[in-house]
Amino acid sequence: MALRCCFLGGLLLLLLLVASSKGVVGILDPVDFLALQAVRKRLEDMPGSDFFSAWDFTDDPCGFPGVFCAGDRVVALALGDPRAGSPGLQGHLDPALGRLSALAELSLVPGRVIGLIPDALARCSGLRFLALSKNLLSGPLPAGFGSLRRLRTLDLSYNQLSGPVPPALTAASALSNLILCHNQLSGPIPRFPRSAALLRLDLKHNQLSGPIPPLPSSLQYLALGSNALTGSADAVLPRLTRLNFLDLSSNLLEGPIPACVFRLRLEALQLQRNAFSGRLAPQGDVVIPVVDLSYNRLWGSLPPQLAGVDRLYLNNNRFTGEVPSRLVQRLSNGMQLLYLQHNFLTGIEFGPAAAAIPVGAALCLQYNCMVPPFDTPCPLKAGTQKMRPVDQCPNWRS
């Protein structure tokens, strides 16, 4: 202990001498000074980057690029050149980051930083913003982050993190943005308290499994696509009345699609590639710009209320009956895409303006129980067969 005090005293004297020789008004806290030195030793510029070239520890670290101080403490650390296209950093994150006890913001530009996220970061009790995305960080997500009562944004996306999403993380009561997409996280989605302040939850492209738990009604952005989630969504979605983006695509979800989702003011509704079944029953006209319900097990007639959608993907389902004339007419009045291929549709309700498809609009009717009345290009995945075999279409055949 005496040796450490002696060392810190010597360091303080050195900092005072440096400050006086350079005309610096304030000096950095010695603990923060040593922590920055440790951080620097474990990181280096990638070829083409010169971010650390100005980190000269004979000068005041509060003037270093990416270091922001309040008084004698480091309150924000932005590691790497933030300009678009600039190379990032490589190396490891040092546990000394946890000794920056006044730190409120920590960010890392995209690069090739590897290894674990230091558990010691949980000691930065004032941390509000933590963004370490698009690197090569691996290992578990520190459960201690749940003790960060002021943490609002946690973005660890596009890394190689594995293991579960720690249930303790849901105790971070101020957390409003949780972005963990494009990792290798597994296990269930933890249950958040109803009082959570969460606005954005992005867990897509992981290996999460199990049912979707009840989620806070505060959510505005929910992305859980490309996982292995099971069960139904009709017990979860009705509470989420503030959503403006919903992506549950490429999971193993089943059961009906709740009618309430079609009333939401969404930018996009992405439920494709699941096992949703049953009839679609939107209540009133749908005004969501993009609706993708393809590759499910939906059946029954096509709802004309979907005519207000700009890009509508209903292909690879089990829809029957005629295509409502409102859907085809909308191709001449704003709808950009209507994919109906690989269903069991038997014809089109022709009405005014339904006889011509404008250039630039995409309509695909291949592989249904009818000869397509329009010769329009389809995506390659639709195949080359124009209609289903007759033995799959008993109503059409009769």
Side-chain angles (χ1 to χ4, degrees):
M1 180 68 180
L3 182 62
R4 183 174 184 272
C5 290
C6 180
F7 176 75
L8 289 176
L11 177 62
L12 180 59
L13 177 60
L14 175 61
L15 291 173
L16 286 169
L17 290 172
V18 169
S20 62
S21 67
K22 294 182 177 290
V24 178
V25 176
I27 60 170
L28 186 64
D29 179 273
V31 175
D32 285 14
F33 185 92
L34 290 175
L36 288 179
Q37 281 191 323
V39 169
R40 172 64 185 91
K41 288 178 181 177
R42 299 291 300 278
L43 291 171
E44 62 183 16
D45 287 304
M46 289 180 62
S49 172
D50 63 352
F51 174 75
F52 281 126
S53 63
W55 278 45
D56 178 0
F57 283 92
T58 64
D59 207 341
D60 178 18
C62 290
F64 292 177
V67 178
F68 304 90
C69 300
D72 64 344
R73 304 304 309 276
V74 176
V75 295
L77 189 57
L79 294 170
D81 187 341
R83 291 176 296 183
S86 298
L89 307 177
Q90 57 190 6
H92 296 76
L93 295 177
D94 196 277
L97 286 164
R99 298 205 296 269
L100 298 172
S101 56
L103 195 66
E105 298 184 11
L106 173 62
S107 62
L108 175 66
V109 299
R112 299 187 66 82
V113 177
I114 63 174
L116 303 177
I117 297 173
D119 292 326
L121 276 172
R123 297 205 296 265
C124 300
S125 59
L127 200 61
R128 298 193 304 265
F129 181 88
L130 178 57
L132 309 174
S133 64
K134 296 182 180 178
N135 278 276
L136 300 173
L137 298 167
S138 59
L141 187 63
F145 286 171
S147 66
L148 298 173
R149 295 292 185 261
R150 298 181 182 178
L151 187 63
R152 296 177 183 174
T153 295
L154 178 60
D155 183 357
L156 306 177
S157 58
Y158 292 90
N159 279 289
Q160 298 175 1
L161 301 174
S162 57
V165 179
L169 187 61
T170 65
S173 54
L175 191 62
S176 58
N177 299 287
L178 180 57
I179 308 169
L180 304 176
C181 59
H182 291 269
N183 278 286
Q184 300 166 18
L185 299 170
S186 57
I189 298 172
R191 183 183 292 259
F192 288 82
R194 286 179 176 264
S195 60
L198 206 58
L199 300 176
R200 182 186 183 105
L201 179 61
D202 191 345
L203 303 177
K204 64 178 177 286
H205 288 274
N206 278 287
Q207 300 164 16
L208 300 170
S209 58
I212 302 174
L215 295 170
S217 59
S218 56
L219 272 176
Q220 297 178 10
Y221 184 106
L222 178 60
L224 304 177
S226 297
N227 281 285
L229 300 173
T230 56
S232 65
D234 55 352
V236 178
L237 295 180
R239 293 190 66 246
L240 306 181
T241 58
R242 302 177 186 177
L243 285 179
N244 56 46
F245 183 90
L246 177 60
D247 179 5
L248 303 180
S249 63
S250 298
N251 279 288
L252 304 171
L253 300 170
E254 56 189 7
I257 295 176
C260 61
V261 301
F262 296 107
R263 296 198 303 269
L264 297 172
R265 297 291 179 175
L266 298 172
E267 298 173 9
L269 173 60
Q270 299 180 358
L271 303 180
Q272 70 270 22
R273 296 184 183 276
N274 278 283
F276 288 118
S277 59
R279 295 179 180 272
L280 295 182
Q283 299 168 353
D285 288 345
V286 180
V287 293
I288 303 170
V290 179
V291 173
D292 193 342
L293 309 180
S294 61
Y295 293 94
N296 278 289
R297 300 173 183 173
L298 302 169
W299 51 271
S301 58
L302 295 177
Q305 296 94 326
L306 294 174
V309 177
D310 293 335
R311 302 179 68 85
L312 180 58
Y313 301 82
L314 298 176
N315 53 287
N316 295 82
N317 277 287
R318 300 173 181 176
F319 291 114
T320 55
E322 293 189 324
V323 180
S325 60
R326 280 184 64 189
L327 289 179
V328 182
Q329 289 169 18
R330 265 279 289 158
L331 287 167
S332 302
N333 188 28
M335 182 180 282
Q336 303 165 17
L337 182 146
L338 178 59
Y339 277 0
L340 301 174
Q341 67 270 21
H342 287 258
N343 279 287
F344 295 84
L345 300 169
T346 55
I348 291 180
E349 285 180 5
F350 278 93
I357 304 301
V359 175
L363 171 65
C364 186
L365 293 167
Q366 278 186 201
Y367 210 69
N368 276 286
C369 294
M370 62 175 168
V371 177
F374 303 104
D375 187 15
T376 52
C378 286
L380 291 177
K381 288 184 179 179
T384 58
Q385 288 183 272
K386 293 295 184 182
M387 60 173 291
R388 283 187 177 275
V390 173
D391 59 1
Q392 295 183 16
C393 303
N395 292 336
W396 180 82
R397 181 174 56 186
S398 62

